[in-house]
Amino acid sequence: MVAPLTLYVDAAFLSPYAMSAFVALTEKGLPMQLRPVDLGCGEQRMRPYLARSLTGRVPALTHEEFHLAESCAISQYLEEAFPAPRYPALYPPDLRSRAQARQMQAWLRSDLQALRADRPTEAVFEHPTHAPLSDAGHAAAARLVRVAQALLAHGGPNLFGDWCIADTDLAMMLQRLARNGDELPAELRSYADAQWQRASIQLWVRHHAHARG
């Protein structure tokens, strides 16, 4: 029996990074306790939470007496702590594909700030925005499309053969365009929509709906 893991997420279930960690745990089939953190009240800056999240951000993971923050670190920890084939894989088995998946995750978290500003997560999960993209947002969207098309040029349903956690992260970013009526090549829209129907993502969507009441 696996000791239950505790995942700390934002109380609104809006964070794309918390969603990524949630999907990773769900796809691994691991027992999980969800603990919402009220970011609006500053709970992430209070001492109890800082004892569990070194960076003071969500998500954070507790596994027995071990605490870890940052979604990429969490997914990589889960992959090594609960390896395939006993548990479903989160990353491709091939060394170079695995490196590319991690490259994609790192890039999506460090670039495209203008797109995230123009198309915030609320515009994906709640109400679309009709405001036009800024010049910087257009440039960010063009970079996103170029990278996504290059990695999906093989025409398959996933980035690297079988599904991996980078598919969830890329689909989330593409949905910022798809859900708001922005220009997006048909093959990327189809990819993002198909990924969005994955059971683990839909479970997160239901958590968000429940949190909204």
Side-chain angles (χ1 to χ4, degrees):
M1 293 291 291
V2 175
L5 297 99
T6 301
L7 182 66
Y8 295 85
V9 303
D10 62 304
F13 288 84
L14 276 171
S15 166
Y17 312 117
M19 183 184 83
S20 182
F22 174 85
V23 167
L25 280 158
T26 303
E27 293 286 345
K28 281 285 186 187
L30 295 168
M32 174 191 355
Q33 295 177 353
L34 281 176
R35 294 290 180 86
V37 178
D38 192 336
L39 304 184
C41 291
E43 187 180 352
Q44 72 276 20
R45 295 187 293 271
M46 298 177 185
R47 189 178 300 275
Y49 187 66
L50 291 176
R52 298 174 175 87
S53 173
L54 183 64
T55 60
R57 302 198 297 182
V58 296
L61 177 75
T62 294
H63 181 207
E64 297 175 330
E65 300 302 316
F66 178 66
H67 306 295
L68 186 66
E70 304 301 316
S71 57
C72 281
I74 289 170
S75 61
Q76 291 174 31
Y77 172 76
L78 293 172
E79 185 75 331
E80 295 184 23
F82 305 97
R86 182 174 180 182
Y87 299 93
L90 298 176
Y91 290 94
D94 173 70
L95 173 65
R96 293 183 176 180
S97 294
R98 190 162 63 249
Q100 284 190 311
R102 289 171 172 166
Q103 171 186 252
M104 171 62 75
Q105 286 188 295
W107 179 68
L108 290 171
R109 286 157 173 76
S110 61
D111 197 357
L112 311 179
Q113 291 90 340
L115 180 56
R116 288 197 294 270
D118 287 354
R119 300 292 182 260
T121 314
E122 289 86 347
V124 175
F125 287 105
E126 297 177 357
H127 304 294
T129 178
H130 301 291
L133 287 168
S134 63
D135 289 345
H138 272 294
R143 291 198 302 279
L144 174 62
V145 167
R146 178 182 61 80
V147 170
Q149 285 183 318
L151 285 175
L152 290 165
H154 52 68
N158 304 305
L159 285 168
F160 306 107
D162 292 334
W163 174 91
C164 73
I165 191 64
D167 283 299
T168 291
D169 294 335
L170 178 57
M172 174 65 214
M173 191 62 76
L174 289 171
Q175 288 291 1
R176 295 179 189 274
L177 298 174
R179 293 297 177 97
N180 291 283
D182 296 300
E183 185 176 349
L184 188 64
E187 71 275 13
L188 296 185
R189 188 180 297 273
S190 295
Y191 163 82
D193 288 344
Q195 292 291 334
W196 207 252
Q197 294 308 309
R198 198 167 182 90
S200 54
I201 295 180
Q202 286 301 303
L203 183 56
W204 175 265
V205 170
R206 290 195 291 274
H207 278 300
H208 167 71
H210 180 75
R212 288 190 71 194

